[in-house]
Amino acid sequence: MVKYLNSLISRFEELKKGISINSEKWNIMPDARGTIDQNIEEVKEIDKLVSEKKRELSEIQARARMIKEKKKELISVIEKRALGVHADETERLKDYNIKDRSS
C-alpha cells in the first residue's frame, strides 16, 4: 500500500472510531460513518490501481532490460563487422562513430 494513501485510511479509521465512541453526538449528522466508509473504499480502489500499475511498470522495465541486452549484442556484432569491413581504411570508422582502436 502506498504510504500516503495508507495514512489517509488510518486517519479515516481513527475518525470513524471517534464517531462510534461518541455516536450520541453524531446521530444528528447525515450518515457520517457511511461517508467515511465510502472515502476509505475510494482510497483503497486508487491504491489498488497504483499497485497494479507499479507491477505492470516493473514487468515492462524487465522486458526493456532484456531488449537492451539483446540490442547491445547486435550493436557489438555490427561494430565488429564495421571494423572488419574497414580494416584497411580505419578513418572510415568515424562514419560509425567508432574510435580507431589501432592508435
Side-chain angles (χ1 to χ4, degrees):
M1 180 167 274
V2 178
K3 189 175 182 177
Y4 61 87
L5 294 177
N6 190 38
S7 66
L8 281 175
I9 291 173
S10 294
R11 187 62 186 132
F12 275 127
E13 293 290 351
E14 293 166 345
L15 293 170
K16 186 176 169 182
K17 181 180 175 186
I19 290 171
S20 292
I21 292 170
N22 299 289
S23 61
E24 70 283 347
K25 299 282 185 181
W26 285 87
N27 285 336
I28 59 171
M29 298 295 171
D31 195 30
R33 274 184 239 162
T35 300
I36 288 176
D37 288 338
Q38 192 175 31
N39 280 280
I40 289 171
E41 286 308 309
E42 183 180 353
V43 172
K44 284 180 178 179
E45 284 177 28
I46 197 69
D47 182 68
K48 181 180 176 184
L49 182 60
V50 168
S51 295
E52 289 172 4
K53 295 302 177 186
K54 281 182 176 181
R55 182 188 49 74
E56 288 175 21
L57 178 59
S58 179
E59 290 172 1
I60 291 168
Q61 287 173 324
R63 282 181 40 213
R65 284 187 292 275
M66 279 186 358
I67 288 171
K68 179 191 96 173
E69 291 305 315
K70 286 181 181 178
K71 301 307 178 189
K72 280 175 62 176
E73 291 172 12
L74 178 59
I75 287 171
S76 179
V77 167
I78 294 170
E79 287 174 341
K80 288 174 185 176
R81 287 181 183 160
L83 288 167
V85 167
H86 299 290
D88 295 332
E89 48 183 359
T90 56
E91 69 279 355
R92 302 297 291 174
L93 295 175
K94 292 177 189 172
D95 296 343
Y96 305 90
N97 197 25
I98 296 174
K99 305 280 189 264
D100 183 3
R101 297 178 183 156
S102 63
S103 32

